[in-house]
Amino acid sequence: MSTLTDTPKAAAGREKPARRRPRVDRLPYLLLLPCLAIIAVLLLWPLGQVVWMSFHRLNNVRQLRGDREWPWIGLENYVQILSDPFFRTVLRNTVLFAVANVALTMILGTLVGLLLNRLGKRMATFVGSCVMLAWATPALTGTIVWKWIFDDTSGLVTWLFNALPDGLSQALFGRTDWTGYGWFNSPLLFFAILTLVVVWHSFPFIAVSVLAGLKSVPSELHEAARVDGAGPWRVFWKVTFPLLRPVFGILIVLSTIWDFKVFTQQFVLAGGTQDRPTFMLSIYSYAEAFSPPPKYGLGAAIAVILTLILLVVTGLYVRMVLKQEEE
């Protein structure tokens, strides 16, 4: 009788038992906590401090120690930087330098990666080891060596130019004695040498990454393209490049970030912060913060602007990748 008198809701409740919520496995999140804590301490906390400093007027070391108050000035540091014509010059230098270095690094690294992929095992190991020496060399050590190579009195480049026949040197360059010639005095020459140093130090990573990507491409695709009559150039653009496009995208973003914030090489080659016409954002931030009179808040604001530019570049790349996956 009870079955006849049950309401429709009760009957439906008996027919459809209550769904249980899926159990969430918290173990992966717990395993990530130590890494997140390290990132927060080593990256997020200093970044937050820099952002906080950029909203204050800090002109004294005692303020950084906490002995004096930090006067709040809001966006005044940012207004001062963005309204300064010299900032636009520095930004132009940074963008042009990054574009040139990313292009040269990617081209040279890709060519070396293709070469390593075509060599035999022993020769590829030997060439790859030699190439990685540049990557393994600390930036400071490598830059000091390059600065000696371009030394105006005892450098290798000065010696080579002095070894040219006087007639040839006079005809090509308008001078015969290169002793004492300042290779770093001209902004154009300085950026050319700086580009040489940065590309020399960066291309091995690109080469090894491209080589790793090439190893994942099925050889049957290349063989089929060659059977159809495609040459090496066409095989690369029609077969290899489309398959390695995600790899190239990541490498371009990483190279852009590294080249935008080049500091060590420029600081060593320029001998400090005196050569203002060759300033880029990283050394500009350092010079404003630590050159007398120090302006720590202004330097912090420049560092924040540089960080925002790099975040925009990274965001555009992530958006491009997501769009490609949707398509």
Side-chain angles (χ1 to χ4, degrees):
M1 294 295 293
S2 61
T3 58
L4 297 176
T5 58
D6 284 344
T7 62
K9 291 184 179 181
R14 287 195 300 271
E15 293 174 0
K16 297 180 179 179
R19 295 180 179 178
R20 295 182 179 180
R21 294 181 179 180
R23 185 176 179 181
V24 178
D25 189 4
R26 295 185 175 86
L27 181 60
Y29 301 97
L30 294 176
L31 295 176
L32 287 175
L33 281 179
C35 296
L36 294 177
I38 294 175
I39 292 175
V41 172
L42 298 181
L43 181 63
L44 298 181
W45 171 252
L47 180 61
Q49 286 290 97
V50 171
V51 174
W52 183 248
M53 289 171 61
S54 67
F55 296 114
H56 296 80
R57 181 179 290 109
L58 303 174
N59 301 327
N60 198 301
V61 178
R62 294 182 179 179
Q63 291 177 301
L64 300 181
R65 296 174 182 170
D67 298 338
R68 293 185 180 181
E69 295 183 356
W70 292 18
W72 174 270
I73 57 174
L75 298 175
E76 184 176 326
N77 285 326
Y78 294 95
V79 173
Q80 180 179 346
I81 294 168
L82 297 177
S83 60
D84 186 1
F86 183 65
F87 171 76
R88 292 189 285 272
T89 301
V90 173
L91 182 61
R92 181 200 62 194
N93 292 344
T94 307
V95 172
L96 293 178
F97 175 81
V99 170
N101 276 264
V102 170
L104 292 174
T105 304
M106 292 300 301
I107 292 173
L108 181 59
T110 301
L111 292 176
V112 174
L114 292 171
L115 174 64
L116 293 174
N117 192 49
R118 296 292 297 272
L119 293 176
K121 185 176 180 180
R122 292 184 178 179
M123 184 58 67
T125 302
F126 173 74
V127 175
S129 301
C130 295
V131 166
M132 289 306 295
L133 286 176
W135 174 255
T137 303
L140 178 60
T141 306
T143 308
I144 292 175
V145 173
W146 280 104
K147 189 172 184 178
W148 171 81
I149 291 175
F150 284 93
D151 186 76
D152 58 357
T153 56
S154 59
L156 179 62
V157 173
T158 301
W159 178 84
L160 289 175
F161 274 82
N162 280 328
L164 292 174
D166 292 345
L168 179 61
S169 181
Q170 182 68 34
L172 294 178
F173 308 107
R175 62 184 300 161
T176 58
D177 185 12
W178 293 90
T179 302
Y181 182 78
W183 298 100
F184 304 104
N185 294 341
S186 168
L188 183 60
L189 271 178
F190 177 84
F191 277 116
I193 297 172
L194 180 61
T195 298
L196 175 64
V197 175
V198 173
V199 171
W200 169 82
H201 190 262
S202 303
F203 87 90
F205 176 77
I206 306 298
V208 173
S209 301
V210 171
L211 176 63
L214 290 171
K215 295 298 183 182
S216 65
V217 177
S219 59
E220 294 81 3
L221 298 177
H222 290 162
E223 294 176 0
R226 295 191 189 98
V227 170
D228 292 339
W233 181 257
R234 190 172 182 83
V235 169
F236 175 79
W237 283 110
K238 296 299 183 180
V239 179
T240 306
F241 183 77
L243 294 175
L244 297 184
R245 186 173 295 170
V247 176
F248 283 115
I250 295 175
L251 293 176
I252 289 174
V253 171
L254 291 176
S255 297
T256 302
I257 293 174
W258 293 335
D259 293 336
F260 252 90
K261 58 187 186 68
V262 166
F263 176 81
T264 303
Q265 294 92 332
Q266 183 176 13
F267 187 85
V268 174
L269 291 179
T273 58
Q274 295 81 17
D275 194 7
R276 290 180 65 85
T278 61
F279 269 17
M280 292 189 292
L281 285 175
S282 293
I283 200 165
Y284 182 39
S285 174
Y286 175 86
E288 291 295 330
F290 297 104
S291 296
K295 297 181 285 289
Y296 302 112
L298 199 63
I302 299 172
V304 172
I305 292 174
L306 174 59
T307 304
L308 291 176
I309 293 174
L310 297 179
L311 287 177
V312 169
V313 172
T314 306
L316 292 175
Y317 168 72
V318 172
R319 182 180 179 183
M320 180 185 67
V321 171
L322 294 177
K323 187 176 180 180
Q324 290 178 352
E325 290 180 354
E326 290 176 357
E327 294 176 355

